[in-house]
Amino acid sequence: MKRHSGNHSETKAVRGATDLDKKNGPLATPIYQTSTFEVTDNDEQLRATHSDHFYTRYGNPTNTVAEKTIATLEGVDGALTFASGMGAITTTLMALLKSGDHIVAQRDIYGGVNKFLSQWLPKMGIETTFVDTTEYDQHARAIRPNTKLLYLESPTNPTLRVVDFKKIAALARQYKLLSMIDATFGTPINQHPAEFGIDLVMHSGTKYLGGHTDLICGAVASRHELIERIWETRTTLGNCMDPHASWMLVRGLKTLAVRVARQNESAQRVAEFLAEHAKVRSVHYPFLESHPQYAVARAQMSGGGGMVSFEVEGSGDDARKVSEAMTLFTLAPSLGGVESLVSIPVLTSHAMIPAAERAKMGVTEQMIRLSVGIENADDLIGDLKGALEAVAAPQSVQVG
């Protein structure tokens, strides 16, 4: 008799793809570190082609465990893993679009995706119109007869804007469009876009899903029909995950819920501290009441996430000095791991975007992005306090 698998995210993260029938076997997922699989005859060879026991570029049992766990967490039919987050995005878009198609995308998205949409897809005859993230009338006005997909990110990098899933899903239904979201910042613990009608949920698994800053991967979760189309393209492009990296992802997923719970709590405290600091101009965090989409965030997210961005009073040089004065927040790109990180978006995630476009996104030289880890929150706040105090406040101008 099949044992109850549990309906909560914490349980799904640990046991989501596990066979719960009692058996004698390994408790930990084995690493199928093999490029190919033998068969008994050619008929079996033909049957194996669409399975995870044929050739690892097509699929692998270790990869399958990771993919099934992610699909279970997102509440959808299936998922696919890729060698990187960008691999997941580029493969999905190439699988679902053709020359002559059009995309409507948020303006403030990850810089690498902005570059792919604005510089690479036009070479393939696919155009993109960029619109303000939370201006849904702009989304509607940008839709053309050849528009096929709405591309989203929520919460956004690095401004932490929050997209109203209900409004976007309704717009996609009205115009018969696909909707795709980069949900990396939100994680499958804090939000479930598919429940609101979003078609494709993408994650840079490098971040929270892996959680330990030791692997590169991407994932896309969706319904069977779309997953099958993306799988066909992935086997051609060849950007599948290595089985050992998949095993590390499976291990990371087991602690996803507990890590994110701690990061939610600590990031909330960090954001509240920064909001009260005299040397901080503004703070971006979905669960601060001052956040412009606070009500939306509270309605569709169970936690504010582990990312906080803020702008310092002063110049870009001041922001750099603050980031370099930190000791517990390590100066490094990426996010979502157990270690707290700090970066300057104009120098890292958004360095490839022209300054004028960054300004439209609200990404300034004074902005600092924090990835809050699982260290003690008081220690992290103390590190921030010391770094801010180490930078001289702007001198007021005396008149008369």
Side-chain angles (χ1 to χ4, degrees), residues 2-19:
K2 194 76 173 177
R3 286 188 282 165
H4 180 61
S5 59
N7 294 317
H8 295 87
S9 294
E10 299 91 334
T11 305
K12 291 175 181 176
V14 179
R15 309 303 292 271
T18 303
D19 180 359

Side-chain angles (χ1 to χ4, degrees), residues 106-109 133-134 153 155-162 185 283-286 291-293 307-311 345 349-350 358-364 367-369:
Q106 295 174 195
R107 178 167 283 111
D108 54 326
I109 53 178
T133 297
T134 57
E153 184 178 307
T156 61
N157 178 14
T159 54
L160 282 301
R161 295 187 177 104
V162 177
F185 277 26
V283 182
H284 310 282
Y285 187 70
H291 191 282
Q293 292 92 46
M307 301 302 297
V308 181
S309 65
F310 66 101
E311 294 171 87
S349 62
H350 288 64
R358 289 200 301 258
K360 292 179 182 178
M361 298 176 183
V363 180
T364 67
M367 181 175 284
I368 297 173
R369 191 188 76 176

Side-chain angles (χ1 to χ4, degrees), residues 259-308:
R259 286 187 283 106
V260 169
R262 175 62 172 262
Q263 288 163 312
N264 287 342
E265 179 183 345
S266 295
Q268 181 78 36
R269 289 190 57 195
V270 164
E272 290 171 354
F273 161 76
L274 290 169
E276 297 298 323
H277 201 285
K279 295 181 183 177
V280 174
R281 181 182 302 167
S282 63
V283 182
H284 310 282
Y285 187 70
F287 274 25
L288 281 183
E289 291 187 19
S290 58
H291 191 282
Q293 292 92 46
Y294 172 76
V296 174
R298 281 288 185 178
Q300 67 187 33
M301 299 178 70
S302 59
M307 301 302 297
V308 181

Side-chain angles (χ1 to χ4, degrees), residues 35 37 48-61 63-64 67 80-81 231-232 234-236 238 240-241:
S35 60
F37 298 82
T49 305
H50 281 73
S51 76
D52 58 6
H53 281 73
F54 171 64
Y55 188 65
T56 289
R57 178 161 56 85
Y58 286 60
N60 179 286
N63 299 34
T64 297
E67 292 167 349
L80 292 171
T81 52
W231 178 84
E232 292 281 356
R234 188 188 67 176
T235 61
T236 301
C240 59
M241 277 191 78

Side-chain angles (χ1 to χ4, degrees), residues 3 19-28 30:
R3 286 188 282 165
D19 180 359
L20 295 178
D21 287 335
K22 288 186 177 180
K23 60 190 183 300
N24 292 321
L27 182 60

